[in-house]
């Protein structure tokens, strides 16, 4: 991606949240008290919060007004039908099961799809996704390209799947032991790295031969679409919304953590084209989340999400969203700070093992200082 001096935000700020101003000494004290664990910090002690993109979005005025249009009926909320239609129109999936977060959808989907002794190949993994696969009796197998594990490789699509690794697994265990391929856009644990459309098309063709479905972790699909547009020549003039639709339509099922791409603070869903999976998920969601027309969400939150999905696939929005990450990452590189390259879409990941030891503070409660993010 070309060096970027700044990025223009396609919005005006009309509300502010007051922050407590802290001194350096207060911050050092707070960090010590938290045992050098950022997840144990109190938010009142944090001035610039770069912990995660999860649920930290500022919603738009349209989304806030959507909250006032919540239909909190126990059954058949109109916000559910609006959200369902939005998911069909923008993401191509036929059926929707709302959940409280992405992991709620992962739980239901894994329990339906996986049986003891199955294998689930994926382009690396996300913590909760993999755990739900394992709790359902499956074994995760990493089939991402080798470059994804090399923090210094500049490969433009480090989220790509290595089809040779997939073929090897099929040869070893048989296609009937593989209930689906777990494919994420973008790959969080690799540092927010995208999969290319070319690779996804190849994967689709390959899996069709064996009749293996593709389950899409679509948490950051619009960001992935933006990077496809930057890096894949034939997509340079295609709208983000059309790239997003094409990615989704190459897959069969999806789980979404709506706290990222679609700009809400809580929520998620399971989406599928498979009627049978949908019926089973409708039965399960009632037990673990709530009735099938609200699952884990309030009516107002489903409305804000429906509006957020439309806003999230705007080209101007995505230019600014990924632009700020690229800007920060480039500044750090200019200062010689070791980070994972290429700079990802949703965050800048320090390459902690390469940080000079003089700058490292050893955490007393954890021995592994490698780069990782768990939310
Ligand atoms: C790629 C990915 N998948 C799934 C999840 C889980 O979603 P949630 O935190 O909404 O449960 C996350 C959360 O960060 C994620 O980044």
């Amino acid at each position: 991606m070309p060096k970027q001096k700044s990025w223009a935000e396609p919005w005006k700020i009309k509300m502010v949240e007051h922050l407590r101003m802290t001194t350096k000494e207060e911050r050092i004290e707070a960090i010590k008290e938290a045992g050098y664990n950022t997840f144990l910090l109190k938010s009142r002690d944090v001035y610039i919060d770069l912990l995660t993109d999860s649920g930290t979005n500022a919603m738009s005025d349209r989304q806030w007004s959507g909250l006032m249009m919540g239909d909190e009926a126990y059954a058949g909320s109109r916000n559910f039908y609006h959200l369902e239609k939005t998911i069909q129109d923008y993401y191509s999936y036929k059926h929707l099961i709302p959940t409280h977060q992405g992991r709620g959808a992962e739980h239901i989907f894994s329990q339906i799809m996986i049986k003891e002794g199955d294998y689930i190949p994926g382009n690396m993994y996300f913590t909760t996704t993999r755990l739900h696969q394992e709790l359902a009796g499956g074994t995760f197998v990493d089939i991402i390209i080798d470059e994804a594990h090399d923090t210094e490789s500049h490969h433009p699509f480090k989220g790509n799947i290595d089809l040779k690794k997939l073929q090897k697994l099929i040869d070893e265990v048989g296609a009937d032991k593989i209930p689906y391929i777990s494919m994420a856009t973008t790959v969080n644990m690799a540092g927010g790295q995208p999969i290319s459309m070319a690779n996804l098309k190849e994967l689709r063709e390959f899996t069709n031969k064996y009749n293996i479905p593709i389950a899409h972790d679509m948490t950051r699909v619009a960001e992935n679409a933006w990077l496809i547009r930057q890096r894949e020549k034939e997509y340079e003039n295609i709208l983000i919304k059309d790239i997003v639709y094409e990615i989704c339509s190459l897959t069969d099922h999806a789980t979404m953590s709506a706290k990222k791409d679609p700009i809400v603070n809580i929520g998620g869903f399971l989406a599928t084209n498979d009627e049978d999976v949908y019926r089973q998920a409708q039965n399960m969601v009632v037990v673990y989340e709530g009735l099938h027309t609200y699952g884990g969400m309030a009516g107002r939150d489903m409305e804000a999400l429906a509006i957020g999905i439309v806003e999230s696939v705007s080209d101007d929005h995505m230019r600014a969203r990924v632009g700020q990450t690229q800007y920060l990452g480039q500044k750090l590189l200019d200062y010689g700070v070791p980070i994972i390259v290429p700079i990802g879409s949703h965050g800048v990941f320090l390459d902690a093992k390469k940080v000079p030891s003089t700058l490292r503070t050893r955490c007393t409660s954890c021995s592994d200082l490698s780069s990782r993010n768990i939310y």
Side-chain angles (χ1 to χ4, degrees):
M1 195 172 278
K3 260 196 176 187
Q4 198 168 355
K5 278 211 175 113
S6 183
W7 69 96
E9 291 170 338
W11 54 76
K12 269 200 284 202
I13 293 170
K14 67 175 170 195
M15 191 190 280
V16 293
E17 176 184 343
H18 287 275
L19 293 178
R20 190 167 79 95
M21 304 301 285
T22 54
T23 62
K24 188 173 176 186
E25 289 68 36
E26 284 170 335
R27 292 195 293 275
I28 290 173
E29 199 42 45
I31 290 167
K32 273 194 201 149
E33 230 174 75
Y36 299 93
N37 182 343
T38 49
F39 291 90
L40 297 181
L41 281 169
K42 296 189 183 78
S43 109
R44 71 185 293 275
D45 294 326
V46 181
Y47 178 59
I48 299 176
D49 187 351
L50 296 178
L51 181 63
T52 174
D53 62 334
S54 188
T56 54
N57 289 295
M59 293 203 300
S60 72
D61 49 358
R62 278 172 272 184
Q63 287 180 287
W64 278 102
S65 51
L67 289 183
M68 300 303 291
M69 308 289 278
D71 170 4
E72 308 304 343
Y74 191 87
S77 161
R78 71 168 170 268
N79 311 118
F80 169 80
Y81 295 107
H82 181 203
L83 180 58
E84 182 185 55
K85 173 86 171 56
T86 308
I87 284 164
Q88 289 163 350
D89 290 350
Y90 284 81
Y91 295 151
S92 84
Y93 301 112
K94 284 190 203 144
H95 306 295
L96 160 71
I97 299 284
T99 55
H100 75 287
Q101 292 196 193
R103 64 198 70 185
E106 289 164 357
H107 167 226
I108 292 171
F109 185 67
S110 304
Q111 291 294 329
I112 292 172
M113 298 293 289
I114 300 170
K115 50 184 192 327
E116 197 68 42
D118 279 347
Y119 293 84
I120 299 92
N123 54 348
M124 218 178 251
Y125 66 91
F126 183 71
T127 49
T128 58
T129 323
R130 178 173 174 171
L131 185 64
H132 280 300
Q133 291 164 357
E134 291 174 352
L135 288 173
T139 302
F140 163 80
V141 182
D142 189 7
I143 54 162
I144 203 164
I145 57 171
D146 288 341
E147 287 86 343
H149 293 280
D150 175 358
T151 56
E152 288 176 72
S153 160
H154 281 269
H155 193 293
F157 291 106
K158 282 163 101 173
N160 277 357
I161 284 173
D162 185 335
L163 293 179
K164 286 199 210 80
K165 290 185 187 173
L166 179 55
Q167 182 70 66
K168 185 165 170 278
L169 181 69
I170 293 174
D171 294 343
E172 277 166 19
V173 305
D176 57 333
K177 286 263 178 230
I178 301 176
Y180 62 91
I181 312 287
S182 185
M183 187 280 296
T185 52
T186 56
V187 181
N188 188 352
M189 298 295 272
Q193 305 296 330
I195 182 169
S196 71
M197 192 70 89
N199 186 248
L200 181 52
K201 284 180 185 164
E202 275 170 16
L203 177 70
R204 178 76 279 178
E205 220 171 278
F206 185 95
T207 52
N208 281 348
K209 272 196 305 195
Y210 291 96
N211 209 14
I212 302 175
I214 302 175
H216 177 199
D217 180 340
M218 60 178 302
T219 298
R220 298 182 182 86
V221 65
E223 292 179 4
N224 198 119
W226 175 259
L227 295 174
I228 285 179
R229 195 167 121 160
Q230 304 304 301
R231 299 175 190 174
E232 241 172 319
K233 188 93 188 94
E234 59 193 286
Y235 285 90
E236 68 184 354
N237 295 317
I238 311 286
L239 295 175
I240 297 305
K241 100 181 191 343
D242 295 333
I243 303 177
V244 165
Y245 193 90
E246 186 174 349
I247 294 173
C248 294
S249 56
L250 286 165
T251 69
D252 305 284
H253 316 277
T255 53
M256 165 65 105
S257 169
K259 304 168 71 175
K260 285 80 167 178
D261 243 17
I263 338 174
V264 289
N265 305 115
I266 194 74
F269 59 79
L270 168 63
T272 179
N273 294 329
D274 185 317
E275 194 70 28
D276 187 43
V277 171
Y278 178 49
R279 294 291 163 222
Q280 291 184 60
Q282 277 186 318
N283 289 334
M284 268 191 84
V285 77
V286 185
V287 180
Y288 292 103
E289 304 264 332
L291 194 76
H292 62 285
T293 51
Y294 70 84
M297 296 177 79
R300 55 179 169 271
D301 290 328
M302 290 192 281
E303 191 60 27
L305 172 54
I307 298 166
I309 288 171
V310 178
E311 296 184 352
S312 74
V313 297
S314 132
D315 289 58
D316 287 339
H317 165 74
M318 208 32 82
R319 183 180 298 110
R321 189 175 175 90
V322 180
Q324 58 179 316
T325 314
Q326 301 293 319
Y327 179 79
L328 173 65
Q330 192 55 53
K331 280 255 176 263
L332 291 172
L333 283 176
D334 292 346
Y335 281 114
V337 178
I339 61 169
I340 294 180
V341 291
I343 302 162
S345 59
H346 72 289
V348 178
F349 292 69
L350 291 178
D351 194 349
K353 281 183 176 159
K354 300 212 173 64
V355 173
S357 56
T358 47
L359 293 179
R360 284 198 231 162
T361 310
R362 201 157 254 290
C363 167
T364 47
S365 58
C366 54
S367 55
D368 182 6
L369 278 172
S370 60
S371 309
R372 61 190 46 179
N373 146 312
I374 58 160
Y375 285 93

